[in-house]
Amino acid sequence: MTTTAKVRFQIRKLGTTRINIDDITFKGLGDPGIIVGPPDTGGSDTTGNTGTAAPDRGVIAGTDAQPATGDNSNILLGNPSDAQPAIVMANNYLIDQKYYEESYNSTRGTPNWVSWHLDATNITNATARLDNFAGFNGLPAGFYEVESNSYSGSGFDRGHNCPSADRTSSVNANSATFLMTNMIPQAPQNNQQTWANLENYLREQVVAGNEVYIVMGSYGTGGTGSKGSVSTITSGHVTVPSNVWKVAVVVPTGDGDVNRITATTRVIAVNTPNVNTINADWKQYRVTVRDIEKATGYNLLSNLPQAVQDAVETKKDNL
């Protein structure tokens, strides 16, 4: 049977013979509609961010943190903007948050990009979504520090780059995703529908036996939230991006990851407008990696051989 509609299966026993069923697997190209892990867009993304700011904190790296280098490290496939942990790089400041790495932009008050590795060990649901938003206490002196309540009343969600549901292996891991340096002002429908659906789809790929290298970022100025269009919030300290993008490299679980990524590896690139009228179907916003590079000036997947880059970065995903 070939269909693009939703299908319901029923298993019915006929007769008196005993039937033992242990595992059933349905395979296809569509979205199975399974929610993997706790939802990543609880009401606290928008609500609950009023009142006194939560105490600032940093990251505590447990044994479940990604390795600093090599397979499964968070920027194994490249540093898109050549970010450095140098104070003079205030608008392209590299921060190793152990469970992800990011280029932070002090002028915009948001990350330029966040990069992380995702596999089955990260989504064990050892902890629930913590909702413990907080400012990051590791920024250099002079950098503007966004607080947990900085988006209050703005009409924009505190939108995760590295999702909470991608880091449920420990309290340390989940807490790291709630630092405000991991957030952007994201239109509620963009965050809670389109991006939530894409994030869950990538976790489904992990459940299906893959690992995924992901980099997400934003660019431009001016988005439309639940209260209309603005360029900045927090008295001008936080820039509202016009676009939100993501690149995901999907490979079967294994070792020697860079060498296993070839011209036929599936690479998903998505670029959405940061507006509240966005369609919930993320597949409508697929582009090529080169499209995102052109818009941002970044060099994505730069640690792959050039021939592989030329192949995977020029193809638009269509599965």
Side-chain angles (χ1 to χ4, degrees):
M1 179 179 67
T2 300
T3 180
T4 58
K6 293 183 178 179
V7 177
R8 176 176 293 176
F9 294 91
Q10 181 185 67
I11 299 174
R12 179 180 298 177
K13 178 183 176 183
L14 299 176
T16 59
T17 303
R18 180 177 179 181
I19 300 175
N20 291 324
I21 299 175
D22 295 319
D23 297 290
I24 300 176
T25 301
F26 297 103
K27 293 185 177 181
L29 299 178
D31 185 340
I34 301 170
I35 303 299
V36 182
D40 195 42
T41 52
S44 60
D45 276 9
T46 301
T47 60
N49 58 345
T50 59
T52 304
D56 300 337
R57 66 166 188 272
V59 172
I60 300 174
T63 57
D64 58 338
Q66 282 60 52
T69 59
D71 273 4
N72 306 340
S73 57
N74 290 313
I75 55 172
L76 177 67
L77 302 190
N79 178 332
S81 60
D82 194 25
Q84 302 294 327
I87 295 177
V88 294
M89 302 279 282
N91 292 335
N92 189 23
Y93 185 74
L94 184 66
I95 307 175
D96 182 0
Q97 300 288 28
K98 308 306 180 182
Y99 295 95
Y100 56 88
E101 293 205 36
E102 65 178 304
S103 163
Y104 187 71
N105 190 312
S106 180
T107 298
R108 293 176 66 93
T110 61
N112 297 308
W113 52 262
V114 177
S115 185
W116 67 101
H117 174 262
L118 179 65
D119 65 23
T121 67
N122 308 135
I123 54 174
T124 59
N125 296 331
T127 183
R129 175 186 162 111
L130 296 174
D131 286 329
N132 54 347
F133 293 89
F136 176 51
N137 64 10
L139 292 175
F143 282 35
Y144 182 77
E145 186 174 318
V146 183
E147 303 290 352
S148 62
N149 61 353
S150 291
Y151 291 16
S152 176
S154 69
F156 290 90
D157 281 9
R158 295 174 289 189
H160 288 69
N161 281 260
C162 180
S164 161
D166 280 10
R167 293 291 184 258
T168 61
S169 56
S170 68
V171 167
N172 289 337
N174 198 250
S175 292
T177 71
F178 283 95
L179 293 174
M180 292 303 295
T181 50
N182 184 42
M183 305 297 162
I184 57 171
Q186 195 166 4
Q189 298 307 309
N190 184 295
N191 178 41
Q192 298 173 30
Q193 293 186 10
T194 315
W195 282 97
N197 291 338
L198 172 56
E199 291 163 0
N200 190 67
Y201 179 81
L202 294 177
R203 288 189 288 271
E204 289 173 355
Q205 306 317 299
V206 171
V207 172
N210 299 295
E211 54 188 300
V212 190
Y213 286 91
I214 306 169
V215 58
M216 174 177 171
S218 56
Y219 67 88
T221 301
T224 305
S226 61
K227 296 184 177 181
S229 301
V230 296
S231 297
T232 63
I233 61 173
T234 320
S235 300
H237 289 294
V238 177
T239 299
V240 177
S242 63
N243 287 74
V244 187
W245 58 269
K246 178 172 286 183
V247 172
V249 180
V250 183
V251 292
T253 301
D255 299 317
D257 293 345
V258 170
N259 293 331
R260 294 190 303 118
I261 297 172
T262 69
T264 61
T265 295
R266 187 181 184 193
V267 176
I268 303 169
V270 174
N271 189 353
T272 68
N274 188 24
V275 297
N276 221 29
T277 54
I278 191 170
N279 193 289
D281 182 7
W282 60 267
K283 293 183 179 180
Q284 295 190 18
Y285 301 97
R286 286 181 289 191
V287 296
T288 70
V289 175
R290 291 284 164 85
D291 290 331
I292 295 174
E293 288 182 330
K294 183 177 180 180
T296 61
Y298 299 151
N299 183 11
L300 296 160
L301 312 182
S302 58
N303 284 350
L304 297 178
Q306 190 61 53
V308 175
Q309 290 185 57
D310 291 341
V312 300
E313 292 186 0
T314 56
K315 291 187 297 187
K316 184 186 297 186
D317 179 67
N318 60 5
L319 294 182

